[in-house]
Amino acid sequence: MALGKLCVVGLGYVGLPVAAKFAEVGFNVAGIDIVKNKVTLINEGKSPIEGNEPDLAELVAKVVSDGSLRAFTSYESVKDADFVIIVVETPFDNGAHKPIYGALISATKSVGQHIKKGVLVIIESTVAPGTVKNIVQPLLESESGMVAGTDFMLATAPERVMPGKLLHNLVHMDRVVGGIDEASTSKAVELYKHIVKGHLYPVDSTTAEVVKTVENAYRDVQIAFANEIALLCENIGVDVWQVRDLVNRAPSRNMHLPGAGVGGHCLPKDSWLLAFGAKGKYKPKLISLARDINDAMPAHMSDLCEEALQSHNLRLHGSNVTILGVAYLENSDDTRNSPALILKQNLEVLGINTTLHDPHVKSTDTFRVLSDFEEAVENSDCVAIVTAHDEYRKIDLDRLKGLMRTPILVDGRNVLDPDECSHKGFSFRAIGRPIRNARNH
Ligand SMILES: NC(=O)c1ccc[n+]([C@@H]2O[C@H](COP(=O)([O-])OP(=O)(O)OC[C@H]3O[C@@H](n4cnc5c(N)ncnc54)[C@H](O)[C@@H]3O)[C@@H](O)[C@H]2O)c1
């Protein structure tokens, strides 16, 4: 006997692991997505998520083959569902300064048109504070003709997963669960106890929304601090990685990692979702500045490449730069808001030819990615590392130097050893490190 019927709307990086996990523990799960190819692939028992995602492909194969997870493009299965989880994308329009809720509104309307009495609807998408009460609840009520808190329950349970650790974080992380009333909160807590081994903290829905967006705003500010210190270190002429290591030996200091840019679906927008919740009554200064600092890092990578090429007396126009890593995160295939793609644009504006390499990312209609490392670096004047994929930690520097036209390395993720690189005859540039020219340069 199944533990109940559960629908997951949105089968992306978050929705697919959630659906598979509830299926594994005994729910009869229907996954819904508007992308037909994704639905077909999942029904063949295959995970559309590439990269190093431990246990996910195996779990999807298992729950599809035993019939506990099925995927659909229609919402029919919502009709007899006891639980519906909505976890569609929630980007932010930086120009108009408001969330882009097209997917959330469309999914919520479709769910509202199909739900039965007594259902618990849960929003797992990250949303601006107040969204569940002010947007989702009225939409569900108007579409269903029912009243939240009387005829159906409504809660939010924001996710703390990240690519590379999707299943692990889903199961082991503590998380907040916030309903629009106590009945919704406690029903949602009971539901998540089936898959979450971490602690579940019951709160109200708005508090849950604030907690989620603050978590990511906090991280973004921490990264911006590390990036600013890296830029200072470069200009002072010291090594930020040594500085960071020693700073973190002082009590209560935990300086974050600087790098070539913050990407992904979440960090670049969750600070803005948080700010949006204050409805303009307070305009944040610190988190807004942090966003600007982090957004500028790919341009800084471009400056490092430009300076290194010019130091070799190369004309920018017509020189070749190979960008290693298109995914925003190591060992992942997620290219949303990828710093590499911004770097590519910046370099191309200077007339520089760019080649993208990534072992986990496939070419799309908008960019071409090579998976063969040697093909990607051959005849290159500069190799710029944007993502710390494991593969890049094992680069054979002698072989690389033999393939490149000019031996320049720009390390945006502290992947390579600067001493080794200059000993091997490379000009070496890195975020947060003094310039090193090749021994023989
Ligand atoms: N990716 C992460 O690591 C992560 C972590 C924590 C929270 N979140 C939040 O979770 C939410 C989802 O993120 P994601 O990374 O899974 O996004 P995603 O883009 O990978 O997945 C969203 C899915 O929803 C589908 N979809 C869109 N509109 C739909 C509709 N009307 N009906 C059915 N399906 C629809 C899309 O086709 C897509 O497959 C976002 O709010 C995000 O901020 C993501």
Side-chain angles (χ1 to χ4, degrees):
M1 237 312 252
L3 290 168
K5 176 146 186 200
L6 184 144
C7 287
V8 176
V9 179
L11 297 172
Y13 285 91
V14 181
L16 181 61
V18 169
K21 205 66 208 171
F22 275 112
E24 185 191 31
V25 300
F27 286 83
N28 172 11
V29 180
I32 299 168
D33 204 290
I34 47 172
V35 178
K36 201 161 178 272
N37 291 348
K38 213 178 249 193
V39 166
T40 307
L41 211 59
I42 293 168
N43 285 333
E44 287 168 1
K46 295 177 191 148
S47 165
I49 300 171
E50 308 260 343
N52 184 5
E53 203 52 76
D55 304 327
L56 183 62
E58 295 79 1
L59 182 60
V60 171
K62 175 174 168 276
V63 291
V64 170
S65 80
D66 71 19
S68 48
L69 172 64
R70 291 277 303 151
F72 303 90
T73 50
S74 95
Y75 277 75
E76 283 306 299
S77 50
V78 172
K79 277 186 175 157
D80 56 349
D82 308 297
F83 308 95
V84 180
I85 295 173
I86 300 177
V87 60
V88 295
E89 68 271 21
T90 48
F92 196 86
D93 182 336
N94 289 332
H97 259 279
K98 57 179 193 186
I100 302 172
Y101 277 162
L104 181 70
I105 289 172
S106 159
T108 303
K109 279 186 178 171
S110 304
V111 166
Q113 287 155 15
H114 291 87
I115 45 173
K116 68 175 185 184
K117 223 172 170 177
V119 67
L120 168 64
V121 179
I122 296 171
I123 304 301
E124 277 205 20
S125 295
T126 305
V127 292
T131 301
V132 168
K133 279 205 167 150
N134 301 329
I135 296 177
V136 174
Q137 181 177 336
L139 268 180
L140 287 174
E141 289 179 333
S142 63
E143 296 294 327
S144 67
M146 297 194 282
V147 178
T150 306
D151 301 315
F152 67 91
M153 289 168 274
L154 176 60
T156 179
E159 270 299 346
R160 284 178 167 167
V161 300
M162 66 184 288
K165 295 179 181 166
L166 291 172
L167 283 173
H168 179 272
N169 284 12
L170 179 58
V171 173
H172 295 285
M173 290 227 150
D174 296 347
R175 68 198 273 185
V176 291
V177 179
I180 55 153
D181 56 20
E182 279 186 17
S184 300
T185 307
S186 54
K187 182 94 174 169
V189 167
E190 285 312 308
L191 175 69
Y192 282 96
K193 276 185 186 164
H194 289 286
I195 60 164
V196 175
K197 291 190 180 149
H199 195 84
L200 294 163
Y201 293 94
V203 290
D204 64 81
S205 61
T206 308
T207 302
E209 293 165 328
V210 173
V211 170
K212 172 65 208 179
T213 46
V214 170
E215 279 166 26
N216 280 353
Y218 176 82
R219 189 168 161 82
D220 202 49
V221 170
Q222 296 285 315
I223 295 170
F225 177 80
N227 282 335
E228 181 152 337
I229 299 303
L231 298 176
L232 284 168
C233 286
E234 266 176 50
N235 287 287
I236 295 166
V238 295
D239 184 324
V240 73
W241 296 96
Q242 188 187 13
V243 168
R244 175 180 177 268
D245 182 41
L246 296 171
V247 165
N248 286 349
R249 282 160 205 257
S252 307
R253 276 26 165 224
N254 192 9
M255 188 176 143
H256 216 289
L257 309 173
V262 169
H265 180 49
C266 299
L267 286 204
K269 53 98 177 162
D270 286 355
S271 299
W272 298 132
L273 288 175
L274 170 64
F276 188 79
K279 299 192 182 84
K281 287 182 270 180
Y282 175 76
K283 286 201 170 53
K285 299 168 193 72
L286 180 63
I287 62 176
S288 166
L289 190 57
R291 281 280 68 247
D292 290 345
I293 293 171
N294 291 337
D295 274 349
M297 294 312 285
H300 182 60
M301 281 292 285
S302 173
D303 291 346
L304 291 176
C305 296
E306 186 183 341
E307 181 280 322
L309 291 166
Q310 282 172 335
S311 81
H312 276 256
N313 299 320
L314 292 174
R315 283 186 58 210
L316 296 180
H317 193 94
S319 54
N320 300 330
V321 173
T322 305
I323 298 172
L324 299 185
V326 185
Y328 85 93
L329 188 69
E330 61 272 16
N331 306 319
S332 153
D333 71 339
D334 191 345
T335 60
R336 289 176 288 179
N337 299 310
S338 161
L341 297 175
I342 304 168
L343 171 61
K344 174 178 154 57
Q345 269 178 9
N346 286 355
L347 293 171
E348 285 173 359
V349 166
L350 300 171
I352 295 172
N353 305 314
T354 61
T355 302
L356 295 172
H357 174 271
D358 197 297
H360 304 294
V361 173
K362 295 197 178 82
S363 299
T364 68
D365 292 344
T366 47
F367 55 82
R368 179 165 178 258
V369 188
L370 298 182
S371 57
D372 186 303
F373 183 80
E374 299 211 344
E375 186 187 350
V377 298
E378 193 165 11
N379 223 18
S380 183
D381 297 306
C382 170
V383 163
I385 303 179
V386 174
T387 316
H389 289 316
D390 289 348
E391 179 171 334
Y392 302 146
R393 296 192 183 279
K394 298 176 211 146
I395 290 174
D396 176 340
L397 292 175
D398 293 320
R399 177 85 188 123
L400 176 64
K401 189 158 176 260
L403 289 164
M404 290 177 73
R405 187 165 68 179
T406 316
I408 299 174
L409 288 170
V410 178
D411 188 352
R413 295 287 175 198
N414 191 28
V415 165
L416 301 173
D417 177 350
D419 284 337
E420 199 189 346
C421 292
S422 50
H423 276 293
K424 299 269 183 190
F426 286 93
S427 292
F428 184 81
R429 308 286 184 270
I431 283 183
R433 284 189 153 135
I435 287 174
R436 277 168 190 253
N437 286 319
R439 287 236 159 145
N440 55 2
H441 175 57

